[in-house]
Amino acid sequence: MDYVDLRRGNRTPAVGVLQKLLNRTGEKLVVDGDFGAKTEAAVIRFQRQHRLLPDGIVGQQTWPRIAAGAGLRIVDFIDITDPDLDKMEASDIAKAGGHPLVMGGVCNGVDQAVRMILGAAPARSVFLLRFHGHGQAGMAGVGMGKDSFGWGERSDVDWANRNKMRPLLARLAPIFGPYGSVQFMHCETGSGPRGQATLKMVAEATGVPATAGVQLQYGGGTDTFKFEGPTVTVIPGGGTLRSWCTTRPEFAGMSMA
């Protein structure tokens, strides 16, 4: 099963979903998307009750137990123009039981990516759509690789290409369920005003929160499944992370056996 890696210090929509999942086990966490001391303590209690390593990190062993029965589909799309992304991210996800969508450098790559994602994800099924590739402030490569920045052939999600990207990304809106969000696992995509503008464009087009890192993202191993350093999230309509998290529906309770 594909998984997320969540730990203390993270601030993302996925953390808010985790808090909802923990509350269905009897916890009473404030659902704000901020993985702080109380969320970590709740994770450790869950891990001890299920005979898991009580490290407070939600990863490959803990996520499937916490998310059991919730129907939270994860879709990973990887730009493998750089072979290292195939050797690391694609291989890591496959080893974890996921089925990553991969594509090399192509003209009009975002359109091709959208077609592949729509073919893999039924309507209202996706909890998390993760894009993996090379990036820079305000830009995420999708089918372009590390050597083709600036080609301008619709193969990157970029504020400069917003008029072309908005209608393409809007086609993805129907795949997301009520907990849906997008993550760009690229270097520095969320950095600076341009990063904020790009994430806002993505969030408004897809109708779900968009998150990216502001520092270099090296990937490989568990780093394939988590952000390496701080992130920025933009909520569609201009809301806050906390307001988005608190308006998500509750999960039904689960047995602690």
Side-chain angles (χ1 to χ4, degrees):
M1 175 182 179
D2 207 347
Y3 69 96
V4 295
D5 184 301
L6 300 171
R7 57 188 68 202
R8 189 166 180 175
N10 291 165
R11 293 191 73 255
T12 67
V15 172
V17 177
L18 168 66
Q19 291 165 331
K20 290 275 188 182
L21 290 167
L22 288 165
N23 283 349
R24 75 171 176 169
T25 72
E27 298 289 346
K28 299 186 182 300
L29 297 170
V30 173
V31 181
D32 57 5
D34 190 347
F35 198 131
K38 291 182 179 179
T39 300
E40 183 180 56
V43 170
I44 291 172
R45 282 191 290 271
F46 181 93
Q47 290 170 325
R48 286 176 174 158
Q49 290 164 348
H50 289 81
R51 297 181 177 86
L52 301 168
L53 177 66
D55 58 3
I57 297 171
V58 177
Q60 187 170 5
Q61 301 302 316
T62 301
W63 174 255
R65 298 296 296 271
I66 287 180
L72 298 176
R73 180 188 293 264
I74 299 172
V75 176
D76 285 285
F77 187 91
I78 308 174
D79 174 1
I80 60 167
T81 307
D82 179 355
D84 286 343
L85 289 165
D86 193 17
K87 294 175 183 176
M88 293 191 299
E89 274 85 344
S91 177
D92 294 335
I93 292 165
K95 287 177 182 177
H99 302 281
L101 304 174
V102 299
M103 184 174 70
V106 297
C107 179
N108 206 18
V110 176
D111 179 72
Q112 295 295 325
V114 167
R115 291 172 184 269
M116 292 172 68
I117 293 165
L118 290 173
R124 294 187 58 78
S125 68
V126 174
F127 146 66
L128 184 60
L129 172 59
R130 288 186 296 217
F131 288 96
H132 305 254
H134 288 286
Q136 58 193 31
M139 191 277 285
V142 180
M144 64 184 296
K146 66 180 179 180
D147 298 321
S148 54
F149 291 156
W151 277 7
E153 296 195 44
R154 305 184 192 182
S155 291
D156 63 296
V157 175
D158 190 330
W159 174 247
N161 289 339
R162 59 191 178 277
N163 291 333
K164 299 173 182 176
M165 290 300 104
R166 283 192 186 112
L168 290 175
L169 295 171
R171 288 159 51 195
L172 293 173
I175 70 171
F176 293 103
Y179 310 99
S181 68
V182 178
Q183 291 183 351
F184 292 99
M185 314 301 288
H186 305 64
C187 292
E188 302 179 325
T189 294
S191 178
R194 183 164 177 159
Q196 291 266 0
T198 296
L199 292 177
K200 180 179 180 182
M201 180 263 291
V202 174
E204 297 298 342
T206 60
V208 299
T211 301
V214 300
Q215 297 177 349
L216 295 179
Q217 310 291 313
Y218 293 99
T222 59
D223 288 343
T224 292
F225 302 90
K226 67 181 178 69
F227 286 107
E228 300 163 67
T231 59
V232 59
T233 297
V234 175
I235 307 298
T240 65
L241 177 58
R242 179 168 181 160
S243 68
W244 181 86
C245 292
T246 57
T247 57
R248 299 307 94 193
E250 303 295 335
F251 290 101
M254 68 181 292
S255 168
M256 293 302 293

